[in-house]
Structures are given as structure tokens and as C-alpha cells.
Short mmCIF file of all heavy atoms in Angstrom, two decimals:
data_model
loop_
_atom_site.label_atom_id
_atom_site.label_comp_id
_atom_site.label_asym_id
_atom_site.label_seq_id
_atom_site.Cartn_x
_atom_site.Cartn_y
_atom_site.Cartn_z
N MET A 1 100.74 114.43 122.90
CA MET A 1 100.57 113.18 122.20
C MET A 1 101.94 112.50 122.09
O MET A 1 102.93 113.12 121.79
CB MET A 1 99.98 113.45 120.82
CG MET A 1 99.62 112.21 120.09
SD MET A 1 98.89 112.41 118.44
CE MET A 1 97.92 113.83 118.52
N SER A 2 101.96 111.21 122.33
CA SER A 2 103.23 110.50 122.29
C SER A 2 103.71 110.32 120.85
O SER A 2 102.94 110.46 119.89
CB SER A 2 103.09 109.14 122.97
OG SER A 2 102.28 108.29 122.19
N ASP A 3 104.98 110.01 120.73
CA ASP A 3 105.58 109.84 119.41
C ASP A 3 104.97 108.66 118.67
O ASP A 3 104.80 108.69 117.45
CB ASP A 3 107.10 109.66 119.57
CG ASP A 3 107.83 109.73 118.26
OD1 ASP A 3 107.50 110.63 117.46
OD2 ASP A 3 108.71 108.88 118.03
N SER A 4 104.60 107.61 119.42
CA SER A 4 104.01 106.42 118.80
C SER A 4 102.65 106.75 118.17
O SER A 4 102.35 106.29 117.06
CB SER A 4 103.84 105.33 119.85
OG SER A 4 103.16 104.23 119.32
N LYS A 5 101.85 107.56 118.85
CA LYS A 5 100.53 107.91 118.31
C LYS A 5 100.67 108.81 117.09
O LYS A 5 99.86 108.73 116.16
CB LYS A 5 99.68 108.58 119.38
CG LYS A 5 99.20 107.61 120.42
CD LYS A 5 98.21 108.23 121.35
CE LYS A 5 97.76 107.21 122.37
NZ LYS A 5 96.67 107.70 123.19
N LYS A 6 101.68 109.69 117.08
CA LYS A 6 101.91 110.54 115.92
C LYS A 6 102.28 109.71 114.71
O LYS A 6 101.79 109.95 113.61
CB LYS A 6 103.03 111.54 116.20
CG LYS A 6 102.63 112.69 117.05
CD LYS A 6 103.79 113.66 117.20
CE LYS A 6 103.43 114.80 118.12
NZ LYS A 6 104.56 115.71 118.31
N ARG A 7 103.13 108.72 114.92
CA ARG A 7 103.54 107.85 113.81
C ARG A 7 102.36 107.05 113.28
O ARG A 7 102.22 106.89 112.07
CB ARG A 7 104.66 106.92 114.25
CG ARG A 7 105.96 107.62 114.48
CD ARG A 7 107.01 106.63 114.91
NE ARG A 7 108.17 107.30 115.42
CZ ARG A 7 109.33 107.37 114.78
NH1 ARG A 7 109.46 106.78 113.62
NH2 ARG A 7 110.34 108.00 115.31
N ARG A 8 101.52 106.54 114.18
CA ARG A 8 100.35 105.79 113.74
C ARG A 8 99.39 106.67 112.95
O ARG A 8 98.79 106.23 111.97
CB ARG A 8 99.63 105.17 114.94
CG ARG A 8 100.41 104.00 115.53
CD ARG A 8 99.68 103.37 116.66
NE ARG A 8 98.44 102.77 116.17
CZ ARG A 8 97.50 102.30 116.97
NH1 ARG A 8 97.65 102.39 118.28
NH2 ARG A 8 96.41 101.78 116.47
N ARG A 9 99.26 107.93 113.38
CA ARG A 9 98.38 108.85 112.67
C ARG A 9 98.93 109.16 111.26
O ARG A 9 98.17 109.19 110.29
CB ARG A 9 98.22 110.15 113.46
CG ARG A 9 97.28 111.12 112.78
CD ARG A 9 96.96 112.24 113.66
NE ARG A 9 96.17 111.70 114.78
CZ ARG A 9 95.48 112.44 115.61
NH1 ARG A 9 95.51 113.74 115.51
NH2 ARG A 9 94.78 111.90 116.57
N ILE A 10 100.24 109.33 111.17
CA ILE A 10 100.86 109.59 109.86
C ILE A 10 100.68 108.39 108.94
O ILE A 10 100.33 108.54 107.77
CB ILE A 10 102.35 109.94 110.03
CG1 ILE A 10 102.48 111.31 110.69
CG2 ILE A 10 103.07 109.92 108.70
CD1 ILE A 10 103.88 111.66 111.11
N TRP A 11 100.89 107.18 109.48
CA TRP A 11 100.68 105.98 108.67
C TRP A 11 99.22 105.83 108.26
O TRP A 11 98.92 105.36 107.16
CB TRP A 11 101.16 104.74 109.42
CG TRP A 11 102.64 104.57 109.37
CD1 TRP A 11 103.49 104.69 110.42
CD2 TRP A 11 103.44 104.29 108.22
NE1 TRP A 11 104.78 104.49 109.98
CE2 TRP A 11 104.78 104.23 108.65
CE3 TRP A 11 103.16 104.07 106.88
CZ2 TRP A 11 105.83 103.97 107.79
CZ3 TRP A 11 104.21 103.81 106.01
CH2 TRP A 11 105.52 103.76 106.46
N GLY A 12 98.30 106.25 109.12
CA GLY A 12 96.88 106.21 108.76
C GLY A 12 96.56 107.17 107.62
O GLY A 12 95.78 106.84 106.73
N ILE A 13 97.17 108.34 107.65
CA ILE A 13 96.97 109.30 106.57
C ILE A 13 97.55 108.77 105.26
O ILE A 13 96.92 108.90 104.20
CB ILE A 13 97.59 110.66 106.95
CG1 ILE A 13 96.79 111.29 108.10
CG2 ILE A 13 97.65 111.60 105.75
CD1 ILE A 13 97.46 112.48 108.73
N ILE A 14 98.72 108.14 105.34
CA ILE A 14 99.32 107.54 104.14
C ILE A 14 98.43 106.43 103.60
O ILE A 14 98.24 106.29 102.39
CB ILE A 14 100.74 107.03 104.44
CG1 ILE A 14 101.67 108.19 104.77
CG2 ILE A 14 101.29 106.20 103.29
CD1 ILE A 14 103.03 107.78 105.28
N PHE A 15 97.84 105.64 104.51
CA PHE A 15 96.93 104.58 104.07
C PHE A 15 95.72 105.15 103.35
O PHE A 15 95.32 104.66 102.29
CB PHE A 15 96.48 103.73 105.26
CG PHE A 15 95.39 102.77 104.93
CD1 PHE A 15 95.64 101.66 104.13
CD2 PHE A 15 94.09 102.96 105.39
CE1 PHE A 15 94.64 100.78 103.80
CE2 PHE A 15 93.08 102.09 105.07
CZ PHE A 15 93.35 100.98 104.27
N LEU A 16 95.12 106.19 103.91
CA LEU A 16 93.96 106.80 103.25
C LEU A 16 94.32 107.40 101.90
O LEU A 16 93.55 107.27 100.93
CB LEU A 16 93.34 107.85 104.17
CG LEU A 16 92.68 107.32 105.44
CD1 LEU A 16 92.21 108.48 106.31
CD2 LEU A 16 91.53 106.40 105.09
N ALA A 17 95.48 108.02 101.81
CA ALA A 17 95.91 108.60 100.54
C ALA A 17 96.18 107.52 99.50
O ALA A 17 95.79 107.66 98.32
CB ALA A 17 97.16 109.45 100.75
N SER A 18 96.79 106.43 99.91
CA SER A 18 97.07 105.35 98.95
C SER A 18 95.79 104.63 98.54
O SER A 18 95.67 104.18 97.41
CB SER A 18 98.09 104.37 99.52
OG SER A 18 97.60 103.75 100.67
N THR A 19 94.82 104.56 99.46
CA THR A 19 93.53 103.98 99.09
C THR A 19 92.81 104.85 98.07
O THR A 19 92.24 104.34 97.10
CB THR A 19 92.66 103.79 100.35
OG1 THR A 19 93.35 102.94 101.25
CG2 THR A 19 91.32 103.18 100.00
N ALA A 20 92.86 106.15 98.27
CA ALA A 20 92.26 107.07 97.30
C ALA A 20 92.96 106.96 95.96
O ALA A 20 92.30 106.98 94.90
CB ALA A 20 92.32 108.50 97.83
N ALA A 21 94.27 106.84 95.98
CA ALA A 21 95.03 106.70 94.74
C ALA A 21 94.67 105.39 94.03
O ALA A 21 94.55 105.35 92.80
CB ALA A 21 96.52 106.76 95.02
N LEU A 22 94.48 104.32 94.80
CA LEU A 22 94.11 103.03 94.20
C LEU A 22 92.72 103.11 93.58
O LEU A 22 92.50 102.60 92.47
CB LEU A 22 94.16 101.93 95.25
CG LEU A 22 93.85 100.53 94.75
CD1 LEU A 22 94.91 100.07 93.77
CD2 LEU A 22 93.75 99.56 95.92
N ILE A 23 91.79 103.73 94.26
CA ILE A 23 90.44 103.88 93.70
C ILE A 23 90.48 104.71 92.42
O ILE A 23 89.83 104.36 91.42
CB ILE A 23 89.49 104.50 94.75
CG1 ILE A 23 89.25 103.49 95.88
CG2 ILE A 23 88.17 104.93 94.12
CD1 ILE A 23 88.53 104.06 97.07
N LEU A 24 91.24 105.78 92.43
CA LEU A 24 91.38 106.60 91.23
C LEU A 24 92.03 105.81 90.09
O LEU A 24 91.60 105.92 88.93
CB LEU A 24 92.22 107.85 91.54
CG LEU A 24 92.43 108.81 90.37
CD1 LEU A 24 91.11 109.46 89.99
CD2 LEU A 24 93.45 109.86 90.75
N ALA A 25 93.02 104.99 90.41
CA ALA A 25 93.68 104.17 89.38
C ALA A 25 92.72 103.14 88.80
O ALA A 25 92.76 102.86 87.60
CB ALA A 25 94.90 103.49 89.98
N ILE A 26 91.85 102.59 89.64
CA ILE A 26 90.87 101.62 89.14
C ILE A 26 89.85 102.31 88.24
O ILE A 26 89.50 101.80 87.17
CB ILE A 26 90.17 100.91 90.32
CG1 ILE A 26 91.17 99.98 91.02
CG2 ILE A 26 88.95 100.13 89.85
CD1 ILE A 26 90.65 99.41 92.32
N ILE A 27 89.38 103.48 88.64
CA ILE A 27 88.38 104.20 87.85
C ILE A 27 88.94 104.63 86.50
O ILE A 27 88.26 104.54 85.48
CB ILE A 27 87.86 105.42 88.64
CG1 ILE A 27 87.01 104.93 89.82
CG2 ILE A 27 87.05 106.36 87.76
CD1 ILE A 27 86.62 106.03 90.79
N THR A 28 90.20 105.10 86.49
CA THR A 28 90.79 105.60 85.25
C THR A 28 91.48 104.51 84.43
O THR A 28 92.07 104.80 83.39
CB THR A 28 91.81 106.71 85.55
OG1 THR A 28 92.85 106.19 86.37
CG2 THR A 28 91.15 107.89 86.22
N HIS A 29 91.40 103.26 84.89
CA HIS A 29 91.99 102.11 84.20
C HIS A 29 93.49 102.29 83.97
O HIS A 29 94.01 102.01 82.88
CB HIS A 29 91.29 101.85 82.85
CG HIS A 29 89.83 101.61 82.99
ND1 HIS A 29 89.32 100.46 83.54
CD2 HIS A 29 88.76 102.37 82.69
CE1 HIS A 29 88.01 100.53 83.55
NE2 HIS A 29 87.64 101.69 83.04
N TRP A 30 94.20 102.71 85.02
CA TRP A 30 95.64 102.88 84.96
C TRP A 30 96.31 101.52 84.94
O TRP A 30 96.03 100.67 85.78
CB TRP A 30 96.10 103.72 86.15
CG TRP A 30 97.52 104.16 86.09
CD1 TRP A 30 98.16 104.70 85.04
CD2 TRP A 30 98.47 104.09 87.15
NE1 TRP A 30 99.45 104.99 85.37
CE2 TRP A 30 99.67 104.62 86.66
CE3 TRP A 30 98.43 103.65 88.46
CZ2 TRP A 30 100.81 104.72 87.42
CZ3 TRP A 30 99.56 103.74 89.22
CH2 TRP A 30 100.74 104.27 88.72
N GLU A 31 97.21 101.29 83.99
CA GLU A 31 97.82 99.97 83.82
C GLU A 31 98.72 99.58 84.98
O GLU A 31 98.94 98.39 85.24
CB GLU A 31 98.65 99.92 82.53
CG GLU A 31 97.89 100.20 81.25
CD GLU A 31 97.80 101.67 80.94
OE1 GLU A 31 98.62 102.44 81.46
OE2 GLU A 31 96.90 102.05 80.19
N TRP A 32 99.30 100.54 85.67
CA TRP A 32 100.29 100.28 86.70
C TRP A 32 99.70 100.38 88.11
O TRP A 32 100.40 100.68 89.06
CB TRP A 32 101.45 101.26 86.55
CG TRP A 32 102.13 101.13 85.24
CD1 TRP A 32 101.84 101.81 84.10
CD2 TRP A 32 103.20 100.24 84.92
NE1 TRP A 32 102.67 101.42 83.09
CE2 TRP A 32 103.52 100.45 83.57
CE3 TRP A 32 103.92 99.30 85.64
CZ2 TRP A 32 104.52 99.75 82.92
CZ3 TRP A 32 104.92 98.61 84.99
CH2 TRP A 32 105.21 98.83 83.66
N LEU A 33 98.43 100.09 88.27
CA LEU A 33 97.79 100.27 89.56
C LEU A 33 98.33 99.34 90.63
O LEU A 33 98.24 99.64 91.82
CB LEU A 33 96.27 100.14 89.47
CG LEU A 33 95.66 98.77 89.17
CD1 LEU A 33 95.24 98.09 90.44
CD2 LEU A 33 94.46 98.98 88.29
N THR A 34 98.96 98.25 90.25
CA THR A 34 99.52 97.34 91.25
C THR A 34 100.73 97.95 91.96
O THR A 34 101.14 97.44 93.01
CB THR A 34 99.94 96.00 90.62
OG1 THR A 34 100.82 96.25 89.54
CG2 THR A 34 98.72 95.26 90.12
N LEU A 35 101.29 99.02 91.44
CA LEU A 35 102.40 99.69 92.12
C LEU A 35 101.94 100.39 93.39
O LEU A 35 102.76 100.70 94.25
CB LEU A 35 103.06 100.70 91.19
CG LEU A 35 103.80 100.12 90.00
CD1 LEU A 35 104.32 101.25 89.11
CD2 LEU A 35 104.95 99.26 90.46
N ILE A 36 100.66 100.63 93.54
CA ILE A 36 100.13 101.30 94.73
C ILE A 36 99.95 100.31 95.88
O ILE A 36 100.01 100.69 97.05
CB ILE A 36 98.79 101.99 94.38
CG1 ILE A 36 99.02 103.01 93.27
CG2 ILE A 36 98.17 102.65 95.59
CD1 ILE A 36 97.75 103.57 92.68
N LEU A 37 99.76 99.04 95.57
CA LEU A 37 99.45 98.04 96.59
C LEU A 37 100.51 97.91 97.69
O LEU A 37 100.13 97.79 98.87
CB LEU A 37 99.18 96.69 95.94
CG LEU A 37 97.89 96.63 95.13
CD1 LEU A 37 97.78 95.28 94.43
CD2 LEU A 37 96.70 96.88 96.01
N PRO A 38 101.81 97.92 97.40
CA PRO A 38 102.77 97.84 98.52
C PRO A 38 102.66 99.01 99.49
O PRO A 38 102.78 98.82 100.71
CB PRO A 38 104.13 97.85 97.82
CG PRO A 38 103.87 97.38 96.45
CD PRO A 38 102.48 97.84 96.12
N PHE A 39 102.41 100.20 98.98
CA PHE A 39 102.23 101.36 99.86
C PHE A 39 100.97 101.20 100.71
O PHE A 39 100.97 101.52 101.90
CB PHE A 39 102.15 102.66 99.05
CG PHE A 39 103.42 102.99 98.35
CD1 PHE A 39 103.57 102.75 97.00
CD2 PHE A 39 104.48 103.55 99.04
CE1 PHE A 39 104.74 103.05 96.34
CE2 PHE A 39 105.66 103.86 98.41
CZ PHE A 39 105.80 103.61 97.06
N GLN A 40 99.92 100.71 100.10
CA GLN A 40 98.67 100.57 100.82
C GLN A 40 98.77 99.50 101.91
O GLN A 40 98.37 99.73 103.05
CB GLN A 40 97.54 100.22 99.86
CG GLN A 40 96.20 100.20 100.54
CD GLN A 40 95.08 99.85 99.60
OE1 GLN A 40 95.29 99.10 98.66
NE2 GLN A 40 93.90 100.35 99.86
N THR A 41 99.31 98.35 101.59
CA THR A 41 99.37 97.28 102.58
C THR A 41 100.36 97.59 103.70
O THR A 41 100.08 97.32 104.87
CB THR A 41 99.73 95.94 101.92
OG1 THR A 41 100.94 96.10 101.15
CG2 THR A 41 98.62 95.48 100.99
N THR A 42 101.50 98.16 103.35
CA THR A 42 102.49 98.50 104.38
C THR A 42 101.95 99.56 105.33
O THR A 42 102.08 99.45 106.55
CB THR A 42 103.80 98.99 103.75
OG1 THR A 42 104.30 97.98 102.88
CG2 THR A 42 104.83 99.32 104.80
N SER A 43 101.33 100.58 104.78
CA SER A 43 100.80 101.64 105.64
C SER A 43 99.64 101.13 106.50
O SER A 43 99.48 101.57 107.64
CB SER A 43 100.37 102.84 104.80
OG SER A 43 99.36 102.50 103.89
N PHE A 44 98.86 100.20 105.99
CA PHE A 44 97.77 99.62 106.78
C PHE A 44 98.32 98.87 107.99
O PHE A 44 97.84 99.03 109.11
CB PHE A 44 96.93 98.68 105.91
CG PHE A 44 95.82 97.99 106.64
CD1 PHE A 44 94.70 98.69 107.04
CD2 PHE A 44 95.90 96.63 106.93
CE1 PHE A 44 93.67 98.05 107.72
CE2 PHE A 44 94.88 96.00 107.60
CZ PHE A 44 93.76 96.70 108.00
N VAL A 45 99.34 98.06 107.76
CA VAL A 45 99.93 97.28 108.84
C VAL A 45 100.61 98.20 109.86
O VAL A 45 100.48 98.00 111.06
CB VAL A 45 100.94 96.26 108.26
CG1 VAL A 45 101.77 95.62 109.36
CG2 VAL A 45 100.21 95.18 107.47
N LYS A 46 101.31 99.22 109.38
CA LYS A 46 101.97 100.15 110.30
C LYS A 46 100.96 100.99 111.08
O LYS A 46 101.17 101.29 112.25
CB LYS A 46 102.90 101.08 109.53
CG LYS A 46 104.10 100.39 108.94
CD LYS A 46 105.13 100.21 110.01
CE LYS A 46 106.47 99.96 109.38
NZ LYS A 46 107.54 100.02 110.34
N ALA A 47 99.86 101.37 110.44
CA ALA A 47 98.84 102.17 111.13
C ALA A 47 98.16 101.40 112.24
O ALA A 47 97.81 101.95 113.28
CB ALA A 47 97.80 102.68 110.12
N LEU A 48 97.98 100.10 112.04
CA LEU A 48 97.38 99.26 113.08
C LEU A 48 98.42 98.75 114.07
O LEU A 48 98.06 98.05 115.01
CB LEU A 48 96.64 98.08 112.44
CG LEU A 48 95.41 98.44 111.64
CD1 LEU A 48 94.76 97.16 111.08
CD2 LEU A 48 94.41 99.20 112.48
N ASP A 49 99.67 99.06 113.83
CA ASP A 49 100.77 98.68 114.72
C ASP A 49 100.86 97.16 114.87
O ASP A 49 101.03 96.63 115.97
CB ASP A 49 100.63 99.35 116.08
CG ASP A 49 101.95 99.43 116.83
OD1 ASP A 49 102.99 99.33 116.16
OD2 ASP A 49 101.92 99.60 118.05
N ILE A 50 100.73 96.47 113.76
CA ILE A 50 100.81 95.01 113.76
C ILE A 50 102.27 94.55 113.80
O ILE A 50 102.59 93.59 114.46
CB ILE A 50 100.08 94.42 112.53
CG1 ILE A 50 98.59 94.74 112.64
CG2 ILE A 50 100.31 92.93 112.41
CD1 ILE A 50 97.77 94.36 111.44
N ILE A 51 103.13 95.27 113.13
CA ILE A 51 104.56 94.90 113.10
C ILE A 51 105.25 95.49 114.30
O ILE A 51 105.11 96.59 114.66
CB ILE A 51 105.22 95.38 111.80
CG1 ILE A 51 104.68 94.61 110.63
CG2 ILE A 51 106.72 95.16 111.89
CD1 ILE A 51 105.27 95.00 109.31
#
């Protein structure tokens, strides 16, 4: 597997983890849930290789 595909897979895993964290923050009414959004959006863009 090439290095580019490994990086995209890692970013995809980070995106899924941050999405799970955001859902958990919404369910538990965590006040600081907006701190998760930069991780989620950045990892989404990197996983799709848009940048």
C-alpha cells in the first residue's frame, strides 16, 4: 500500500473517531462540543484528499 493511501486511511479513522466524539458530546450535552469541530472538518478534508 502506498504512503498516500495509508495517510488517507489514518485521516479516515480520525474522522470517524471525531464524529463519534461529537455524537457523544451532543448526547451528554457537553458545553465545549464545538472544540471537536475543527478536528472533524480537517480530518474529513484530509481523508478525501481535497487539500
Side-chain angles (χ1 to χ4, degrees):
M1 187 179 324
S2 69
D3 190 44
S4 175
K5 288 188 180 187
K6 283 183 183 178
R7 290 180 193 252
R8 287 182 65 190
R9 182 170 293 194
I10 290 171
W11 281 112
I13 292 169
I14 294 171
F15 171 70
L16 292 175
S18 62
T19 301
L22 183 65
I23 291 170
L24 181 67
I26 290 170
I27 290 171
T28 60
H29 302 289
W30 189 46
E31 300 86 20
W32 299 91
L33 68 97
T34 55
L35 292 176
I36 301 170
L37 291 175
F39 294 102
Q40 186 181 31
T41 54
T42 302
S43 61
F44 177 72
V45 169
K46 291 279 199 170
L48 293 181
D49 202 21
I50 295 174
I51 292 180

